[in-house]
Amino acid sequence: MSIIHPNAIKAIAHSVDIPKLSDEAAKTLAPDVEYRLREVVQEALKFAKHCKRTKLTTEDINDALRLRNVEPVFGFGSRDPAKFLRVATHPELMYVQDMELNYHQV
């Protein structure tokens, strides 16, 4: 049993224009996706440990992806860690609070 649900695989497939991925294919891909994800995170942890840091950064993930000849993740380059807040009605659910901007100020 994979921690990645086949519905997540189907959602990702749909986002990259594979709208009719079968349930069986999603079930088969889920463990492989989990394995690849674990590999990347383990490599990223090595980069963080080498830099004597205890926090994993997006640069660590990008370096691990680059090591495997995969394009880096664009749009997430902050050195400051994201601050997660718990939802009051569902304590197991967390979110990142976005700053609200007035569109006249932009």
Side-chain angles (χ1 to χ4, degrees), residues 10 44 53 78:
K10 289 181 85 168
R53 282 186 279 106
S78 175

Side-chain angles (χ1 to χ4, degrees), residues 66-82:
R66 207 170 292 120
L67 188 68
R68 298 193 174 279
N69 295 322
V70 178
E71 290 182 21
V73 179
F74 292 108
F76 299 98
S78 175
R79 293 266 181 215
D80 298 328

Side-chain angles (χ1 to χ4, degrees), residues 15-36:
S15 74
V16 293
D17 292 333
I18 306 172
K20 295 184 180 183
L21 185 69
S22 71
D23 291 338
E24 187 63 32
K27 249 186 196 177
T28 304
L29 283 171
D32 189 55
V33 169
E34 179 183 348
Y35 175 77
R36 304 286 178 204

Side-chain angles (χ1 to χ4, degrees), residues 47-82:
F47 280 108
K49 186 176 180 180
H50 181 74
C51 293
K52 297 181 178 150
R53 282 186 279 106
T54 57
K55 290 184 181 178
L56 196 62
T57 66
T58 55
E59 284 302 313
D60 297 328
I61 298 290
N62 283 337
D63 290 340
L65 290 172
R66 207 170 292 120
L67 188 68
R68 298 193 174 279
N69 295 322
V70 178
E71 290 182 21
V73 179
F74 292 108
F76 299 98
S78 175
R79 293 266 181 215
D80 298 328

